[in-house]
Amino acid sequence: LSLCVVTPTRHFSSCFVASPLQNLIQPRQQQQPQQQQQQQQQQQQQQQQQQELIQKLGAMCDECHCGLRNPAAAAKPAAASVSFFQRHVFFCTGTSSWSSSIEDDGGLIADLARRIKPLNPTLAKKVKLTACSGPSRSDAGMDLLIFPDAVRYFGITSANVGDVIEEHFVNNRICSSLPHEPLLAPYLFVCAHQERDYRCGSKGPPVIDALRRELATAGLPFTVCATSHVGGHSYAGNVLIYPSGDWFGYVEVENVPLLVNQYFVQKTVPWCLWRGRMGLDKQEQEAAAAQYLANHHPR
């Protein structure tokens, strides 16, 4: 598994763990001008075909080729269900109990959320904010984990978070004036936000325990954390893998060994559980899943 190392250089580019999706996903293109009517019709036809293939993907889950049986996915396929964003920030709160809306807990979370909201439409990379159970490793303030950049900032407070906003989010470069380190191994995040939705609250914790056991058995020293709401209660359990940015839904305890083995060892994707990927919009997620199905399950 190829890992990304972030060094404190002035500028940096997006970095990902090598993903099984890499050959299927094309870089995000700049928005094109108004298309001619014929081009629009072709696009609509292509989108319809992609949607049909997505439904086929869900239908396969009742007797899944990859071994992950999940009839629920047949009724509501998980593919292309991740809202578009390009940078994910996790607050290391050291707890898995948060208010239904994490901003209501006040402090740094509320402050950063308030300050980033008006900036998000103009940023080079749209930012998503989430709390996680990972502990901070500083005496004061709260640590931040930022992906896909794979960097941890130590001891961020309302007094210095403006430096993170200005340097990392606005100028798109490491904030060298603040203590930080590269994250050298993948992180797995599982939504377990009981205060927000009972499905994530009930399914998340057992999946976290199963992931930790399976990763230890496989000799993979990766970190697993609980998170606050990420979006998509109905797809619980939700597992997010960073810095690659792949999201999976409908993960059950019995699915965990296959998920770990396929994604990290065999470097393949259990597509019936794949929700999408950070940095891709809905059409791009649909296209990635549709291309896989067209290649492996032609009509």
Side-chain angles (χ1 to χ4, degrees):
L1 187 65
S2 172
L3 299 178
C4 166
V5 179
V6 176
T7 56
T9 53
R10 183 169 178 81
H11 293 276
F12 58 87
S13 59
S14 297
C15 52
F16 293 89
V17 166
S19 167
L21 296 173
Q22 207 65 44
N23 294 331
L24 292 178
I25 296 173
Q26 299 300 318
R28 183 174 176 80
Q29 303 295 323
Q30 294 293 325
Q31 179 133 14
Q32 299 297 320
Q34 181 73 27
Q35 301 294 321
Q36 297 297 324
Q37 184 175 5
Q38 184 177 6
Q39 292 175 315
Q40 291 176 338
Q41 291 174 346
Q42 290 175 345
Q43 289 177 348
Q44 291 172 356
Q45 183 179 13
Q46 183 181 27
Q47 290 172 15
Q48 183 178 357
Q49 291 173 346
Q50 289 175 0
Q51 288 285 357
E52 291 174 357
L53 285 170
I54 294 297
Q55 291 298 321
K56 180 180 178 182
L57 179 64
M60 290 192 321
C61 288
D62 196 29
E63 293 290 341
C64 186
H65 69 288
C66 66
L68 299 177
R69 293 173 56 86
N70 200 317
K76 186 178 182 181
S81 61
V82 176
S83 298
F84 178 69
F85 68 100
Q86 299 153 296
R87 178 169 277 146
H88 207 158
V89 178
F90 292 89
F91 299 91
C92 294
T93 66
T95 182
S96 57
S97 179
W98 308 280
S99 297
S100 177
S101 176
I102 60 172
E103 293 87 348
D104 292 341
D105 289 335
L108 177 66
I109 298 177
D111 192 27
L112 182 53
R114 175 182 58 81
R115 296 172 71 172
I116 207 69
K117 185 175 181 179
L119 293 176
N120 236 347
T122 64
L123 293 175
K125 295 183 178 180
K126 184 178 180 181
V127 175
K128 182 178 181 67
L129 305 178
T130 303
C132 79
S133 62
S136 290
R137 290 160 41 195
S138 46
D139 295 332
M142 187 179 293
D143 293 0
L144 301 181
L145 309 177
I146 303 182
F147 299 99
D149 319 300
V151 63
R152 176 193 285 261
Y153 286 103
F154 296 98
I156 303 303
T157 66
S158 293
N160 61 16
V161 73
D163 295 336
V164 177
I165 295 172
E166 182 65 23
E167 286 295 287
H168 203 117
F169 300 154
V170 176
N171 294 330
N172 201 37
R173 60 193 179 193
I174 293 289
C175 184
S176 59
S177 64
L178 296 174
H180 63 277
E181 70 175 15
L183 301 174
L184 304 180
Y187 273 68
L188 288 81
F189 298 97
V190 182
C191 184
H193 199 170
Q194 177 69 45
E195 293 79 3
R196 183 66 175 256
D197 187 85
Y198 73 94
R199 287 164 290 189
C200 294
S202 61
K203 288 183 176 291
V207 169
I208 291 171
D209 292 340
L211 280 169
R212 288 173 176 164
R213 289 194 302 269
E214 192 62 29
L215 289 168
T217 300
L220 299 172
F222 304 158
T223 302
V224 183
C225 295
T227 76
S228 62
H229 174 66
V230 295
H233 308 305
S234 59
Y235 303 107
N238 288 297
V239 177
L240 288 56
I241 302 177
Y242 284 106
S244 61
D246 290 313
W247 287 34
F248 297 93
Y250 297 126
V251 179
E252 305 283 350
V253 169
E254 57 268 26
N255 295 341
V256 165
L258 282 169
L259 175 60
V260 169
N261 181 63
Q262 289 186 17
Y263 194 82
F264 292 111
V265 180
Q266 298 182 23
K267 296 181 175 59
T268 60
V269 174
W271 282 92
C272 63
L273 301 183
W274 187 70
R275 286 194 56 191
R277 197 185 201 205
M278 173 177 59
L280 300 182
D281 63 23
K282 182 177 176 63
Q283 288 184 345
E284 290 166 332
Q285 292 171 40
E286 288 176 346
Q291 184 174 344
Y292 167 81
L293 287 172
N295 292 342
H296 295 82
H297 298 272
R299 291 195 260 190

